[in-house]
Amino acid sequence: MYFRGQAYTNLKDWDHAIGVYQTLYDKYPDSSLADDGLYFAALAAQQLKNCTEARTYLGLVKQKYPKSNVAKQVVELDNTIKKDLKNKAKCSS
């Protein structure tokens, strides 16, 4: 599942990537890649200018996986998106 999401990410097919990462989290929340999947779902949502959705995924990583290997990147991306929320060119929602 994770690598299917990565394939969609590499193709810049953001909607499909988000769907696959969401399925990964829903079906395999205890997977060692679930937190990474949520992080990449947030990146994909950011590309679609869905900043609220991106922050939701980042919040899940913080809440469910506080010791995640992507914890530092999650904080950095969340801070970036917080700043972007004021710019309609970067965030439509």
Side-chain angles (χ1 to χ4, degrees):
M1 273 296 185
Y2 173 79
F3 293 106
R4 180 181 291 169
Q6 288 290 285
Y8 283 123
T9 297
N10 290 337
L11 294 170
K12 298 183 179 180
D13 187 345
W14 308 122
D15 287 319
H16 282 107
I18 290 170
V20 172
Y21 291 130
Q22 183 67 49
T23 301
L24 169 67
Y25 173 72
D26 291 343
K27 286 189 176 184
Y28 309 102
D30 297 326
S31 165
S32 63
L33 294 172
D35 54 339
D36 293 56
L38 289 171
Y39 172 72
F40 281 105
L43 286 173
Q46 181 190 31
Q47 292 297 316
L48 292 171
K49 299 181 182 179
N50 293 332
C51 294
T52 304
E53 180 182 351
R55 292 199 68 217
T56 300
Y57 290 124
L58 296 172
L60 276 171
V61 176
K62 289 178 188 177
Q63 178 186 6
K64 302 279 186 182
Y65 310 100
K67 298 184 190 289
S68 169
N69 63 325
V70 293
K72 183 178 178 184
Q73 294 97 316
V74 165
V75 171
E76 291 171 1
L77 182 59
D78 195 33
N79 288 336
T80 299
I81 292 173
K82 280 181 197 175
K83 291 175 190 169
D84 290 349
L85 282 169
K86 299 171 188 157
N87 183 345
K88 292 200 183 233
K90 292 185 178 184
C91 290
S92 61
S93 67

